[in-house]
């Protein structure tokens, strides 16, 4: 008892020095030997310097990424004989080089959007299922199962996508084409061709981003104040009504930021797209048709044969990808930061 | 819900008020509906000769959800019916999410075991004609382990120190900026990290392709993950521990080294292991920087190496049956490796969970 009693006073005495200059801390202690004081300061200074230095190093790396990509990209874009933003084909190794990101940027966005449309509702469902519906004992193993999905390397998803998913989506593609061709997007010009299309890529990406969206959403749903839920229950709400009136409104911004984190992943995914898609320089909104491309896929497929100038051109496209993901992720983090009560950022 | 209504006293103050007890479907109703729906779906599937099992499943799910909804709204009223509809839809969501996982793991194991044996693990691809069987992943395994090892040696200390800075020292603008950019850095696509090292190390400084170049890109991907997880763990260390140590006159840096870090060590190691698991499977930066080779190269600082994910990609690109078999086997080894790291991480987390945290 005595110890616990003295603890608060000690805490009060010590807390301010913790954030203040180190020599303040010495006051409550018995006067130590003078040379001891100097030593302590040196260790402290070295340690805080090293840790602060690492933090600064991280900032320097981020700045260097932006600087070096820009440096190489500017030279490449200056020598581009097409318009970098509107040219469809990517012939950076030809003389004169003609390349642009019109098809690649569109393909990147389309595949990511397909992935979001499929993954977000399912992920929110799974998150709700784990946080509010699954039996308590099952919740943890189920969450672990979803984590396993996240642990599978992207190249394995790519292999599975190319050799298993693509042939198995042939039927779905034909079915969508025969019943929903009137929607324009589902109109396949050759439905009998193997569906190495943006649609298939979108489905694969959806599977890949599902875990991160699920995990962040689940964490937010678990933070809903118990009182909100109990108040709703006390009013006679059913379980679904509890979720609709207390859980979903509270979790909305969390779900948005989770989705944007998933979007960032989907935009930058390389290998799964490179194995599944059969790329072409055709700009089309018929998502069931093979063709199109994404920025990351183009880098991975084109790097092997790229000339030194071709590499710079690929770096230029990488810079575009970097900026897109930076904006998406930055926005997601700002939304999270607005609500400090939960940290969805550690997923 | 039923517990609440059951406890309510019956025949209360207002005799005219409707009874608080609603008609409920019996407990076995969902299970029975599920069995019925599956039976009917199988019947329809066989009758209409639908080839795809997915269609059978789809019909069964639609029948189940529809029937239960109609039954429930007839017997229990619309609100309960909606509740049941939501419950079944969430179940469907969950099943949809785990189907790909099981399919992927089952398919990889079935395909991968075909050529996976001791010879596959202990031989390289040197001199193996890609259209024929034989060869192995020894050179890739060496490459992966070395690259991941070097990346960890670079990223773990920097990540750890940054997290210590953010939790123990960081105040003000710099700390806020670092936090924000660590978050943003988590989202940097792996291929962009690869392009950065390519433009800096290989084009600008004119070094050759090497395992070390790949390791640097992997370190960039690993750092923010380590920072995040370590930060969370350090925040779980109770302040009383720090205060007690400081009150005894222990300098701050020793307090951190001897009190704070040992308390959180389990969680920190777990975070590092999860980060290792994540970078082990990265392909894109390795493709750009390590370049790949078929021969054994034990020196990560000189000349192209290989790595497991890259091996899978290259065998897939060869596009013939023996290569596909090798790709699946390598993918199986890769998954096993990553899962092993994951399980190890979880084991450590359970073993050394910090008290006062998740317990």
């Amino acid at each position: 008892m005595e110890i616990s009693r003295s603890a608060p006073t000690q805490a009060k005495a010590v807390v301010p020095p913790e954030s203040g200059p180190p020599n303040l801390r010495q006051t409550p202690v018995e006067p130590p030997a003078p040379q001891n004081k100097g030593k302590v300061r040196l260790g402290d200074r070295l340690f805080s310097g090293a840790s602060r230095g690492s933090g600064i190093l991280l900032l320097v790396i981020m700045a260097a990424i932006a600087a070096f990509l820009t440096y190489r990209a500017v030279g490449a874009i200056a020598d581009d004989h097409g318009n970098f933003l509107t040219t469809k084909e990517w012939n950076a190794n030809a003389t004169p080089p003609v390349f642009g990101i019109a098809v690649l940027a569109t393909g990147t966005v389309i595949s990511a959007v397909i992935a979001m449309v499929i993954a977000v509702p399912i992920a929110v469902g799974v998150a709700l299922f784990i946080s509010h519906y699954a039996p308590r004992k099952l919740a943890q193993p189920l969450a672990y199962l979803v984590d396993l999905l996240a642990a599978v390397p992207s190249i394995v998803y790519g292999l599975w996508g190319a050799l298993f998913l693509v042939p198995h989506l042939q039927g779905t593609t034909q079915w969508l084409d025969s019943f929903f061709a009137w929607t324009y997007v589902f109109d396949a010009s050759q439905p009998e061709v193997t569906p190495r299309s943006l649609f298939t890529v979108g489905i694969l990406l959806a599977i890949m981003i599902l875990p991160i969206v699920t995990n962040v959403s689940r964490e937010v749903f678990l933070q809903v104040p118990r009182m909100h839920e109990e108040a709703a229950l006390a009013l006679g709400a059913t379980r679904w009504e509890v979720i609709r009136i207390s859980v979903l409104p509270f979790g909305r911004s969390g779900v948005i930021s989770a989705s944007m984190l998933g979007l960032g992943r989907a935009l930058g995914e390389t290998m799964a797209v490179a194995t599944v898609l059969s790329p072409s320089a055709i700009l089309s909104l018929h998502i069931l048709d093979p063709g199109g491309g994404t920025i990351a896929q183009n880098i991975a497929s084109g790097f092997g044969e790229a000339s030194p100038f071709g590499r710079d051109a690929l770096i230029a496209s990488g810079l575009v990808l970097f900026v897109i993901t930076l904006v998406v992720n930055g926005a997601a983090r700002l939304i999270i930061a607005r609500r400090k009560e939960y940290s969805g950022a550690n997923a | 819900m039923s517990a609440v209504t059951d406890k309510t006293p019956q025949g209360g103050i207002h005799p005219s008020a409707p009874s608080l007890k609603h008609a409920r479907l019996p407990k076995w109703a969902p299970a029975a509906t599920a069995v019925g729906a599956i039976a009917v779906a199988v019947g329809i599937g066989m009758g209409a000769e639908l080839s795809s099992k997915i269609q059978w499943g789809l019909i069964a799910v639609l029948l189940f959800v529809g029937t239960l909804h109609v039954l429930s709204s007839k017997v229990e009223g619309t609100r309960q019916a909606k509740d049941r509809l939501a419950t079944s839809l969430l179940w469907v969501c969950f099943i949809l999410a785990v189907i790909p996982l099981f399919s992927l793991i089952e398919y990889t194991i079935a395909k991968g075991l075909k050529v996976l044996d001791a010879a596959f693990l202990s031989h390289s691809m040197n001199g193996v004609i890609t259209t024929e069987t034989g060869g192995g992943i020894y050179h890739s395994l060496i490459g992966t382990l070395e690259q991941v090892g070097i990346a960890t040696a670079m990223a773990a200390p920097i990540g750890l120190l940054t997290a210590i800075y953010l939790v123990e020292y960081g105040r003000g603008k710099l700390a806020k900026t670092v936090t924000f950019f660590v978050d943003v850095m988590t989202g940097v696509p792996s291929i962009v990290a690869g392009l950065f090292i390519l433009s800096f190390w290989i084009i600008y400084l004119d070094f050759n392709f090497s395992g070390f170049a790949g390791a640097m890109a992997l370190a960039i991907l690993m750092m923010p993950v380590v920072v995040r997880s370590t930060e969370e763990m350090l925040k779980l260390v109770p302040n009383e521990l720090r205060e007690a140590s400081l009150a005894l006159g222990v300098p701050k840096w020793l307090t951190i080294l001897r009190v704070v870090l040992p308390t959180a060590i389990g969680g920190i190691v777990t975070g590092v292991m999860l980060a290792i698991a994540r970078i082990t499977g990265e392909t894109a930066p390795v493709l750009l920087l390590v370049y790949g080779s078929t021969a054994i190269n034990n020196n990560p600082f000189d000349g192209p190496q290989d790595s497991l994910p890259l091996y899978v990609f290259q065998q897939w690109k060869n596009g013939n049956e023996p290569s596909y078999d090798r790709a699946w086997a390598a993918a199986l080894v890769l998954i096993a490796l990553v899962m092993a790291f994951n399980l190890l991480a979880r084991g450590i987390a359970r073993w050394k969970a910090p008290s006062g945290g998740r317990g």
Side-chain angles (χ1 to χ4, degrees):
Chain A
M1 279 316 288
E2 271 173 277
I3 299 166
S4 66
R5 223 167 229 237
S6 61
T9 47
Q10 258 188 6
K12 262 177 205 158
V14 174
V15 166
E18 203 184 353
S19 52
N23 57 342
L24 267 180
R25 193 187 320 111
Q26 300 292 343
T27 32
V29 185
E30 277 178 37
Q35 82 268 32
N36 194 15
K37 211 173 177 182
K39 243 189 201 164
V40 167
R41 278 208 185 143
L42 182 68
D44 258 343
R45 200 175 304 156
L46 282 179
F47 199 70
S48 73
S51 62
R52 174 192 274 261
S54 314
I56 293 173
L57 180 67
L58 272 173
L59 295 183
V60 170
I61 290 176
M62 280 304 282
I65 293 177
F68 271 94
L69 293 187
T70 315
Y71 167 62
R72 302 306 307 183
V74 166
I77 294 173
D79 286 346
D80 186 0
H81 282 244
N83 186 322
F84 183 65
L85 291 178
T86 57
T87 306
K88 286 181 192 163
E89 63 268 286
W90 190 273
N91 295 323
N93 300 324
T95 40
V98 178
F99 56 92
I101 52 161
V103 168
L104 302 177
T106 322
T108 306
V109 173
I110 289 179
S111 59
V113 167
I114 298 172
M116 299 292 290
V117 169
I118 300 171
V120 169
I122 296 182
V124 172
V126 174
L128 281 176
F129 180 80
I130 294 175
S131 68
H132 285 82
Y133 275 81
R136 220 143 258 262
K137 274 193 183 155
L138 266 179
Q140 203 53 43
L142 291 182
Y144 181 60
L145 210 58
V146 176
D147 282 347
L148 277 188
L149 263 173
V152 176
S154 64
I155 182 68
V156 179
Y157 275 115
L159 193 66
W160 178 77
L163 299 179
F164 179 86
L165 193 62
V166 166
H168 280 79
L169 278 180
Q170 183 108 49
T172 314
T173 304
Q174 283 164 355
W175 183 80
L176 278 174
D177 174 58
S178 47
F179 288 97
F180 293 96
W182 52 270
T183 55
Y184 184 79
V185 280
F186 288 131
D187 183 12
S189 53
Q190 322 136 279
E192 64 289 339
V193 175
T194 336
R196 298 186 165 282
S197 57
L198 283 176
F199 177 70
T200 310
V201 169
I203 289 183
L204 189 57
L205 289 179
I207 297 171
M208 296 175 70
I209 63 171
L210 194 78
I212 187 176
V213 184
T214 303
N215 282 344
V216 178
S217 308
R218 187 194 63 203
E219 216 168 294
V220 178
F221 292 149
L222 286 174
Q223 311 268 340
V224 176
R226 206 76 224 126
M227 297 298 276
H228 289 198
E229 291 173 39
E230 281 168 7
L233 279 173
L235 289 172
T238 61
R239 193 149 50 159
W240 169 245
E241 283 163 349
V242 170
I243 285 175
R244 227 192 50 220
I245 62 183
S246 76
V247 178
L248 287 182
F250 180 89
R252 190 182 299 129
S253 72
V255 169
I256 292 173
S257 62
S259 317
M260 290 179 83
L261 291 181
L263 179 63
R265 286 272 162 96
L267 288 170
E269 179 47 47
T270 313
M271 301 325 286
V273 188
T275 50
V276 167
L277 194 68
S278 80
S280 73
I282 301 164
L283 190 61
S284 143
L285 285 179
H286 299 298
I287 56 174
L288 294 180
D289 281 341
T294 75
I295 295 176
Q297 166 268 326
N298 184 52
I299 297 171
S301 333
F303 181 75
E305 297 92 53
S307 63
F309 180 80
R311 279 184 197 166
D312 283 354
L314 291 177
I315 291 173
S317 71
L319 180 66
V320 176
L321 180 63
F322 180 60
V323 171
I324 295 176
T325 51
L326 214 61
V327 170
V328 169
N329 278 297
R333 301 298 174 177
L334 284 181
I335 295 175
I336 291 181
R338 279 219 320 244
R339 307 196 57 166
K340 271 279 178 186
E341 305 98 284
Y342 53 81
S343 97
N346 57 342
Chain B
M1 274 317 294
S2 62
V4 176
T5 42
D6 284 345
K7 275 180 197 160
T8 321
Q10 294 295 301
I13 310 148
H14 306 290
S16 59
S19 159
L20 282 169
K21 248 195 172 165
H22 287 290
R24 305 274 301 176
L25 281 176
K27 275 220 166 114
W28 45 264
T33 320
V35 172
I38 291 171
V40 175
V42 169
I44 294 177
M46 300 244 263
E49 286 172 357
L50 296 174
S51 54
S52 166
K53 294 282 182 301
I54 300 174
Q55 283 165 320
W56 294 29
L58 216 60
I59 293 173
V61 165
L62 286 178
L63 272 175
F64 171 73
V65 173
T67 317
L68 199 61
H69 184 66
V70 170
L71 269 181
S72 174
S73 54
K74 282 267 184 295
V75 179
E76 300 175 319
T78 37
R79 285 178 57 216
Q80 295 295 335
K82 252 189 200 164
D83 186 43
R84 285 205 188 264
L85 183 68
T87 309
S88 19
L89 283 181
L90 290 184
W91 269 96
V92 170
C93 278
F94 181 74
I95 292 167
L96 274 181
V98 292
I99 283 176
L101 177 69
F102 282 121
S103 160
L104 183 140
I105 289 184
E106 185 232 296
Y107 202 68
T108 311
I109 290 178
K111 289 265 181 181
L113 285 178
K114 236 167 67 188
V115 292
L116 185 61
D117 52 20
F120 186 73
L121 292 175
S122 60
H123 286 74
S124 77
M125 285 299 288
N126 203 5
V128 177
I129 301 164
T130 52
T131 51
E132 278 169 30
T133 54
I137 54 167
Y138 181 73
H139 59 307
S140 319
L141 215 50
I142 296 273
T144 290
L145 293 179
E146 284 182 351
Q147 288 149 27
V148 169
I150 296 173
T152 310
M154 286 192 285
I158 297 177
L160 205 64
L161 280 170
T162 306
I164 289 174
Y165 171 71
L166 290 177
V167 176
E168 307 286 336
Y169 292 100
R171 306 279 181 276
K173 249 195 175 145
L174 179 65
K176 263 190 190 154
T177 321
V178 173
T179 309
F180 180 77
F181 275 101
V182 165
D183 286 346
V184 172
M185 204 171 171
T186 320
V188 169
S190 58
I191 193 123
V192 170
L195 284 176
F196 162 60
I197 298 296
L198 177 78
S199 59
F200 167 66
W201 186 255
I202 291 177
I203 298 180
Y204 185 73
L205 294 179
D206 205 20
F207 282 98
N208 210 343
F209 295 106
S210 67
F212 181 66
M216 281 194 290
L218 294 180
I220 292 181
L221 296 171
M222 190 175 172
M223 267 176 222
V225 185
V226 175
V227 175
R228 280 258 69 120
S229 57
T230 309
E231 209 187 334
E232 297 297 322
M233 286 304 135
L234 291 181
K235 279 181 188 160
L236 287 182
V237 175
N239 244 340
E240 284 80 2
L241 287 182
R242 295 188 183 94
E243 285 157 5
S245 164
L246 290 172
L248 290 171
V250 180
K252 184 160 185 176
W253 66 284
L254 273 180
T255 304
I256 295 171
L257 272 185
R258 295 281 174 78
V259 177
V260 177
L261 285 184
T263 314
I265 191 70
I268 293 173
V269 175
T270 305
V272 173
M273 295 300 291
L274 288 176
I276 291 177
R278 184 185 160 194
I279 61 165
T280 306
E282 282 296 349
T283 321
V286 178
L287 176 72
L288 300 185
L289 301 167
V290 184
Y291 210 73
S293 103
T294 55
I296 299 167
N297 175 7
N298 284 325
N299 184 357
F301 296 97
D302 186 36
Q305 272 193 317
D306 210 40
S307 89
L308 269 182
L310 191 54
Y311 180 91
V312 176
F313 183 58
Q314 274 158 350
Q315 295 303 318
W316 173 80
K317 254 177 39 184
N318 289 338
N320 52 57
E321 274 311 310
S323 292
Y324 284 158
D325 286 345
R326 281 191 289 262
W328 282 115
L332 183 58
V333 174
L334 185 59
I335 289 190
L337 205 61
V338 173
M339 296 289 168
F341 281 136
N342 259 290
L343 288 177
L344 205 61
R346 276 169 215 271
I348 294 169
R350 188 160 295 178
W351 177 43
K352 287 205 144 187
S355 54
R358 294 184 250 176

